[in-house]
Amino acid sequence: MPKVNFTNSFIEKGLICPDDKTKIEYVSKDFPGFLVETRATSNGTGTYYYRYKDGYGRMRTMKLGRTNEISLKEAQTKAKVLKEEVALGGDPKAKVIKAKKVPTLRELFNDYYLPHAKQHKRTWVNDEQMFNSRLDEKFGHLKLTAISKSEVQKFHLSLPKFQLSASTCDHYVKLIRRLLNFAKDLELIQRNPLDRFKLFREENYKERYLNTEEQAQLVKKLKTDANRPVCNLVLFLLATGARRSEVFKAEWQHFDLENRVWRIPSANSKSKKMRSVPLNDFALKLLTDVGTQGKFDYAFANPATGNPYKCIKKAWTRLREQAGLPELRLHDLRHQFASLLVNSGRSLYEVQHILGHSDPTVTQRYAHLSTATLQEASNAASKLIE
């Protein structure tokens, strides 16, 4: 390990490995830790290194670059930066080792997030489709620490050109942010660069409320159509404000007809918590008339299979078109039920609990429907004043 005074001339002509060695290190006389290694297989060129002891007394070696790629001055500058970091208690080599252990976004998604989501998230398939469709190609190969807010913002702003709605564009960013938060929880990264990321936040709620005449048209059609299983299912949606999936999976064991309660198990509830739905007279009559109790496990079973319906799109399309409501969605029946509650004077707190909203801000969308009720309350005060 000869000590030398490094000069440009020595780097150009002096990097010779002796015949009896496979490699040799030339160490700087005036810069402790700075050295050049040259091998027998590459006489005339070498590699710059900086060697130091970490806080535990272990010898660490950091590669600075090849002599034919960077100059002596550049190598010495790099070594001085590392020396200053070590003097302040840092460990540059440990940082490199840790960085190598950081997974790529693709590895995080496939090896960590997806197995977790399959156990805890009903909509994990949506996440998988979104990741595979656009995120994997754009960011999948990047280490988590290499994902920057600016690059995600460029990606976000580029999405509308694919005729995607603002809400859909936001969902892509929300998924990346969720993945990085997940990585942060696993202590794979220290911070999420997408904290406080500005989304488009387009209000895309589509709500279709039926007036009295339209509601009567729909109910008449559902009461008289020959497809009783599907019609009863749709009427039950209107009578309870439940979600489609909740009604599809409703089993007779979940109903307490005597106490007029439908207990939706956590496995079927969007909030993943068991919730109780009060059964009104109309809903109770439907359950009495549906004719599946004692015959099938599911209250609104497909009579051909005894299993829950997976899709009633074809039948529902026909029913709504024949009722003169071609644009009405099944989910609109949930909004219609909420509007009936609000317009009959029930509070938003009551609506929240009957519909099973875990967040009261979701129920606030129905606040504008209470105008008539508030007007009546105001008129009560007016009469007293008079």
Side-chain angles (χ1 to χ4, degrees):
M1 193 181 293
K3 292 185 176 182
V4 299
N5 289 317
F6 283 118
T7 62
N8 289 327
S9 176
F10 178 81
I11 297 300
E12 291 174 7
K13 302 175 182 178
L15 298 180
I16 305 297
C17 182
D19 294 338
D20 59 340
K21 295 180 180 293
T22 58
K23 65 179 181 179
I24 187 172
E25 292 180 350
Y26 292 99
V27 180
S28 174
K29 284 183 177 180
D30 54 0
F31 192 157
F34 185 69
L35 61 97
V36 176
E37 177 192 274
T38 187
R39 295 174 178 267
T41 55
S42 58
N43 266 328
T45 61
T47 304
Y48 295 110
Y49 289 98
Y50 176 66
R51 185 170 290 153
Y52 67 95
K53 285 186 178 181
D54 64 13
Y56 299 96
R58 294 174 299 189
M59 196 63 74
R60 300 282 206 176
T61 304
M62 290 286 293
K63 182 179 177 180
L64 305 174
R66 297 282 295 168
T67 58
N68 57 351
E69 294 172 351
I70 64 173
S71 67
L72 173 62
K73 185 176 181 180
E74 288 172 329
Q76 290 172 329
T77 300
K78 284 186 175 184
K80 288 177 182 177
V81 171
L82 294 176
K83 182 180 179 181
E84 291 173 0
E85 185 176 345
V86 172
L88 293 173
D91 188 353
K93 186 68 175 181
K95 287 168 61 177
V96 172
I97 294 172
K98 186 176 180 180
K100 287 182 178 179
K101 292 182 179 179
V102 174
T104 63
L105 190 67
R106 183 181 299 123
E107 291 169 339
L108 173 73
F109 186 84
N110 292 324
D111 299 341
Y112 296 88
Y113 177 79
L114 201 54
H116 174 82
K118 286 180 178 180
Q119 295 294 323
H120 300 91
K121 196 169 186 279
R122 289 196 188 89
T123 56
W124 65 267
V125 174
N126 296 340
D127 290 349
E128 186 176 40
Q129 290 173 344
M130 290 181 66
F131 185 83
N132 291 336
S133 65
R134 298 183 190 277
L135 298 182
D136 189 27
E137 180 181 358
K138 182 68 177 178
F139 301 106
H141 63 288
L142 294 178
K143 295 275 190 181
L144 300 181
T145 49
I147 297 174
S148 67
K149 191 172 187 176
S150 60
E151 287 303 311
V152 174
Q153 186 176 49
K154 288 179 185 177
F155 168 76
H156 186 223
L157 295 175
S158 72
L159 291 176
K161 72 181 180 183
F162 298 105
Q163 283 73 55
L164 299 178
S165 69
S167 177
T168 300
C169 297
D170 284 350
H171 281 311
Y172 280 102
V173 175
K174 287 178 182 178
L175 179 54
I176 305 175
R177 186 168 60 190
R178 190 181 312 128
L179 291 172
L180 293 177
N181 277 331
F182 185 72
K184 186 178 175 182
D185 290 341
L186 295 178
E187 298 183 350
L188 296 173
I189 55 175
Q190 292 185 339
R191 56 177 292 274
N192 186 343
L194 300 189
D195 286 343
R196 294 184 293 179
F197 190 97
K198 190 171 182 180
L199 301 170
F200 294 140
R201 294 192 184 282
E202 179 186 68
E203 292 292 340
N204 65 338
Y205 293 128
K206 294 180 180 179
E207 297 172 3
R208 170 71 160 87
Y209 299 102
L210 303 175
N211 58 38
T212 304
E213 182 181 345
E214 290 173 330
Q215 181 173 294
Q217 291 172 207
L218 177 64
V219 172
K220 181 180 179 181
K221 179 61 185 175
L222 294 174
K223 283 185 173 182
T224 57
D225 191 85
N227 191 341
R228 298 316 310 147
V230 171
C231 288
N232 286 331
L233 188 154
V234 175
L235 283 168
F236 195 75
L237 285 169
L238 179 60
T240 59
R243 298 179 178 90
R244 173 176 49 188
S245 62
E246 294 170 340
V247 176
F248 281 11
K249 298 175 183 178
E251 298 181 45
W252 280 111
Q253 64 175 326
H254 302 152
F255 292 101
D256 182 349
L257 300 183
E258 184 178 347
N259 293 307
R260 305 168 65 101
V261 176
W262 171 26
R263 293 184 176 87
I264 301 176
S266 59
N268 297 350
S269 172
K270 184 177 180 180
S271 65
K272 298 181 183 178
K273 296 179 182 179
M274 192 278 286
R275 71 184 186 92
S276 298
V277 178
L279 297 171
N280 54 40
D281 293 341
F282 191 82
L284 279 172
K285 187 175 185 308
L286 281 169
L287 289 172
T288 302
D289 296 342
V290 75
T292 60
Q293 191 171 18
K295 190 176 179 181
F296 301 124
D297 291 335
Y298 295 92
F300 298 94
N302 183 333
T305 64
N307 295 320
Y309 281 98
K310 292 183 178 179
C311 179
I312 59 170
K313 183 177 180 180
K314 185 176 180 180
W316 170 241
T317 299
R318 178 183 64 79
L319 290 167
R320 66 185 181 182
E321 287 179 350
Q322 292 178 356
L325 303 164
E327 79 292 351
L328 188 68
R329 304 171 305 162
L330 277 178
H331 194 70
D332 291 327
L333 302 180
R334 182 169 164 85
H335 297 315
Q336 182 68 12
F337 177 78
S339 75
L340 295 175
L341 292 179
V342 174
N343 288 324
S344 63
R346 312 319 302 186
S347 69
L348 291 181
Y349 176 81
E350 292 171 307
V351 175
Q352 175 192 345
H353 284 274
I354 292 176
L355 294 184
H357 290 156
S358 57
D359 186 349
T361 59
V362 178
T363 319
Q364 286 295 323
R365 72 173 75 175
Y366 303 116
H368 69 282
L369 298 174
S370 62
T371 304
T373 304
L374 294 175
Q375 187 63 54
E376 289 179 12
S378 180
N379 286 338
S382 175
K383 289 177 182 177
L384 290 174
I385 293 171
E386 291 178 357

